[in-house]
C-alpha cells in the first residue's frame, strides 16, 4: 500500500481530471454564464437563484446515504466510475435540450436544464464521498495540499481557456443555440478528465467500519459523532457560513448587466479573470497547505470575500471594478475549497472518514441554497440588503474559523 502513496502518476491523473473538469464546468459558472442562460428564458431572479442551487445542491440528499455504504468499502473507484458516466450524460443532455427545444418552449427548456443540473449535482453527492476517500488513501496530508493546489491551478487554467472560447461562441452564434453548443462541447472535454481519474491506482483499505444494520442507526451514530466532536462542529459552521457569498455572487453579473452594456467578450473575460485569480492563488494556497496552515487559508479567503462584496456594494458603472470582484471570487473560492477539503481529512479518523466527509459536505450543502434566499431578498428588497446580509454571515464565518484545528 505504501508504494501507492504520493505516487507521481496518481498526482498527474488527479491534476488532469481537474483541468478537463474546469474546462467543462466553466461554461455554467454560477456567477456569470448560468444566470445569463436562465435569464434568457425567464426574467425571474428567484429562478436564477434556484438554478444556481440546483447546480451545486442536488447532492444534499444523498451524502449521508453514500457514506453509509462507503464506510465498509475497501475500494470505491468502481462506484466513482458510474458517477462519472451519469454526470457526462446529464451535462450533454442539457446542451441537446437547449438546441432541440430552445425558444420554442422556454418553460420546457428550463425544465430540462434544471433536470440535467439536478442529476449532474445529485450524482456528485456519491462522487464527493468516493473522491475524498481516494484522495485520502493515495496522498499524505501535506502532499495532498500540494497536489490539490496543482489540481486547482490547472482547473483554473482550463476554465480560463474555456472562458475565452465561451466569449467567442457567444459572439459568433445566436442564443440560445450558442448555450447548447457550449454544453455539448464541454461535456466531451469533461469526459477526458473522467477517463484520466478512472485510471487512478487505488490501494485497498484495510481499516474499515462495519456497516450498521440500518440507515436509521447510521444516522443516529453520525449525530452522536457530530455532538461529541467540537472541532468538527466549528469546522462545519465556519464552512456553512462561508457559503454566504452565494447570497450575492450570482446577482453581481446581473447588476453589471444593468449598469453596463455587456457583450459576449465581456462575459467571457469575467469568467477568465475569475479563473485566473483562482490559478494564481493556488501558488500561495499550495505553499501554505503543504506547511499545515489550512486554517490561515480559510481566514484569508473569507477576508477577501468580504472585501469583494463591499466593492460590489459601492460600485456601479465601472467595469474594471467588476473585473476585480470576479478576480477576488476566484481567489477566495479556491482557497475555501482547498482548505476545508484538507481540514476534514486531517480531522477524520481513518475508519470514520466517509462519515466525517459526508457530515461536513451534507450540512454545509445547505449553504448552496443561499442563492435562492438571495433571489428572494433581491426581488422584495434591494442590492443593499442583499450585500449587507452577506457581509454579516461572512463575518460570522470568519470569527468561527479562528477556532479551526489544523495539522499539529
Amino acid at each position: 500500500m505504501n508504494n501507492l502513496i504520493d505516487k507521481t502518476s496518481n498526482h498527474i491523473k488527479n491534476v488532469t481530471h481537474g483541468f478537463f473538469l474546469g474546462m467543462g464546468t466553466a461554461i455554467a459558472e454560477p456567477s456569470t454564464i448560468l444566470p445569463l442562460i436562465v435569464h434568457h428564458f425567464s426574467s425571474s431572479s428567484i429562478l436564477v437563484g434556484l438554478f444556481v442551487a440546483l447546480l451545486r445542491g442536488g447532492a444534499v440528499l444523498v451524502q449521508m446515504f453514500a457514506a453509509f455504504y462507503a464506510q465498509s468499502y475497501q475500494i470505491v473507484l468502481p462506484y466513482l466510475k458510474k458517477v462519472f458516466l451519469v454526470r457526462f450524460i446529464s451535462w450533454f443532455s442539457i446542451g441537446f435540450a437547449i438546441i432541440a427545444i430552445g425558444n420554442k418552449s422556454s418553460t420546457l427548456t428550463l425544465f430540462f436544464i434544471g433536470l440535467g443540473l439536478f442529476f449532474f449535482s445529485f450524482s456528485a453527492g456519491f462522487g464527493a464521498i468516493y473522491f475524498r476517500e481516494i484522495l485520502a488513501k493515495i496522498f499524505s496530508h501535506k502532499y495532498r495540499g500540494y497536489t490539490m493546489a496543482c489540481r486547482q491551478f490547472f482547473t483554473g487554467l482550463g476554465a480560463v481557456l474555456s472562458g475565452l472560447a465561451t466569449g467567442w461562441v457567444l459572439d459568433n452564434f445566436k442564443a440560445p443555440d450558442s448555450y447548447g453548443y457550449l454544453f455539448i462541447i464541454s461535456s466531451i472535454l469533461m469526459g477526458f478528465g473522467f477517463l484520466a481519474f478512472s485510471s487512478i491506482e487505488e490501494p485497498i483499505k484495510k481499516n474499515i467500519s462495519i456497516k450498521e444494520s440500518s440507515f436509521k442507526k447510521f444516522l443516529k451514530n453520525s449525530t452522536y459523532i457530530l455532538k461529541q466532536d467540537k472541532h468538527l462542529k466549528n469546522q462545519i459552521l465556519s464552512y456553512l457560513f462561508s457559503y454566504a457569498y452565494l447570497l450575492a455572487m450570482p446577482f453581481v453579473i446581473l447588476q453589471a448587466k444593468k449598469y453596463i452594456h455587456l457583450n459576449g467578450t465581456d462575459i467571457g473575460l469575467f469568467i477568465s479573470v475569475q479563473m485566473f485569480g483562482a490559478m494564481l492563488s493556488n501558488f500561495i494556497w499550495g505553499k501554505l497547505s503543504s506547511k499545515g496552515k489550512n486554517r490561515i487559508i480559510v481566514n484569508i479567503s473569507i477576508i477577501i470575500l468580504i472585501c469583494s462584496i463591499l466593492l460590489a456594494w459601492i460600485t456601479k458603472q465601472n467595469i474594471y471594478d467588476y473585473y476585480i470582484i470576479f478576480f477576488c471570487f476566484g481567489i477566495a473560492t479556491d482557497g475555501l475549497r482547498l482548505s476545508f477539503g484538507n481540514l476534514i481529512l486531517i480531522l477524520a479518523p481513518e475508519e470514520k472518514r466517509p462519515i466525517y466527509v459526508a457530515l461536513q459536505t451534507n450540512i454545509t450543502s445547505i449553504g448552496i441554497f443561499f442563492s435562492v434566499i438571495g433571489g428572494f431578498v433581491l426581488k422584495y428588497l434591494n442590492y443593499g440588503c442583499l450585500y449587507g446580509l452577506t457581509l454579516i454571515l461572512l463575518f460570522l464565518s470568519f470569527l468561527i474559523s479562528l477556532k479551526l484545528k489544523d495539522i499539529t
Side-chain angles (χ1 to χ4, degrees):
M1 179 175 176
N2 289 336
N3 64 339
L4 293 180
I5 294 179
D6 298 342
K7 194 172 181 180
T8 302
S9 61
N10 284 339
H11 162 65
I12 293 172
K13 292 169 185 176
N14 178 44
V15 172
T16 301
H17 174 234
F19 174 73
F20 284 108
L21 191 63
M23 291 189 74
T25 56
I27 68 102
E29 216 293 317
S31 63
T32 49
I33 294 295
L34 185 57
L36 294 176
I37 293 175
V38 178
H39 202 257
H40 176 88
F41 296 105
S42 172
S43 60
S44 172
S45 61
I46 296 175
L47 202 60
V48 171
L50 177 62
F51 273 68
V52 170
L54 277 175
L55 177 61
R56 294 182 169 181
V60 173
L61 300 176
V62 297
Q63 288 282 322
M64 296 303 294
F65 187 73
F68 172 54
Y69 286 97
Q71 63 178 322
S72 62
Y73 292 159
Q74 290 186 309
I75 57 172
V76 296
L77 188 57
Y79 304 98
L80 184 59
K81 291 178 181 178
K82 295 177 181 178
V83 169
F84 287 158
L85 179 60
V86 172
R87 301 196 85 192
F88 172 81
I89 294 173
S90 301
W91 203 252
F92 184 89
S93 67
I94 294 174
F96 180 81
I98 293 174
I99 294 173
I101 304 171
N103 292 329
K104 299 173 187 175
S105 175
S106 295
T107 301
L108 191 59
T109 302
L110 284 171
F111 170 78
F112 281 112
I113 293 175
L115 190 66
L117 291 175
F118 173 77
F119 278 107
F120 183 81
S121 181
F122 182 85
S123 59
F126 291 92
I129 300 298
Y130 306 146
F131 178 71
R132 289 292 171 189
E133 179 67 13
I134 291 173
L135 290 182
K137 291 165 73 175
I138 63 177
F139 300 124
S140 61
H141 288 321
K142 290 188 176 181
Y143 189 86
R144 191 185 312 116
Y146 165 73
T147 188
M148 292 307 291
C150 290
R151 174 191 170 91
Q152 291 188 175
F153 173 85
F154 281 97
T155 298
L157 176 60
V160 168
L161 297 175
S162 180
L164 296 173
T166 295
W168 182 85
V169 171
L170 293 178
D171 275 340
N172 289 275
F173 295 92
K174 188 176 180 181
D177 285 352
S178 56
Y179 300 137
Y181 298 147
L182 289 173
F183 270 97
I184 289 176
I185 294 171
S186 63
S187 66
I188 296 172
L189 293 172
M190 203 182 297
F192 289 118
F194 292 156
L195 290 174
F197 202 86
S198 295
S199 63
I200 284 278
E201 296 177 76
E202 180 191 7
I204 295 175
K205 180 180 178 181
K206 296 180 179 179
N207 190 14
I208 60 175
S209 293
I210 304 299
K211 187 177 69 173
E212 289 86 347
S213 57
S214 68
F215 184 58
K216 182 178 180 181
K217 187 175 181 180
F218 168 76
L219 290 177
K220 184 177 180 180
N221 291 342
S222 299
T223 303
Y224 176 78
I225 291 173
L226 183 61
K227 289 180 179 179
Q228 294 299 310
D229 196 328
K230 65 177 182 179
H231 294 297
L232 179 61
K233 283 190 288 187
N234 285 335
Q235 187 164 306
I236 288 175
L237 283 174
S238 180
Y239 199 8
L240 173 61
F241 289 126
S242 74
Y243 271 109
Y245 74 90
L246 286 176
L247 279 166
M249 191 177 76
F251 306 103
V252 172
I253 187 71
L254 299 183
Q255 175 182 275
K257 187 178 179 182
K258 179 180 178 181
Y259 292 108
I260 305 169
H261 174 70
L262 299 178
N263 55 35
T265 301
D266 293 327
I267 297 165
L269 283 174
F270 282 154
I271 299 174
S272 296
V273 165
Q274 182 174 340
M275 299 310 165
F276 190 62
M279 285 172 56
L280 292 180
S281 69
N282 280 291
F283 288 109
I284 300 173
W285 301 152
K287 187 172 183 178
L288 289 173
S289 184
S290 65
K291 293 182 177 180
K293 297 182 179 180
N294 294 284
R295 181 180 65 81
I296 300 299
I297 299 175
V298 175
N299 300 154
I300 296 172
S301 297
I302 295 174
I303 290 173
I304 291 173
L305 281 176
I306 289 173
C307 292
S308 63
I309 295 298
L310 282 170
L311 181 57
W313 195 346
I314 63 176
T315 194
K316 287 292 184 292
Q317 298 182 15
N318 190 340
I319 193 170
Y320 297 105
D321 285 344
Y322 289 103
Y323 286 137
I324 295 173
I325 292 167
F326 287 113
F327 184 78
C328 288
F329 280 159
I331 293 173
T333 53
D334 256 31
L336 292 174
R337 187 182 303 115
L338 174 70
S339 53
F340 278 113
N342 283 335
L343 284 169
I344 193 62
L345 296 179
I346 292 167
L347 185 63
E350 182 183 3
E351 70 278 6
K352 296 295 182 183
R353 199 158 50 213
I355 300 173
Y356 271 66
V357 172
L359 282 169
Q360 174 169 291
T361 308
N362 200 62
I363 296 174
T364 58
S365 290
I366 297 171
I368 292 168
F369 294 96
F370 283 165
S371 60
V372 180
I373 298 174
F376 276 99
V377 172
L378 190 57
K379 179 178 176 62
Y380 295 106
L381 297 172
N382 52 51
Y383 273 101
C385 294
L386 180 66
Y387 292 144
L389 178 60
T390 302
L391 290 170
I392 291 172
L393 293 179
L394 285 175
F395 184 68
L396 182 58
S397 174
F398 176 77
L399 292 178
I400 300 173
S401 73
L402 298 175
K403 302 177 183 179
L404 296 180
K405 182 181 180 181
D406 211 334
I407 299 175
T408 54

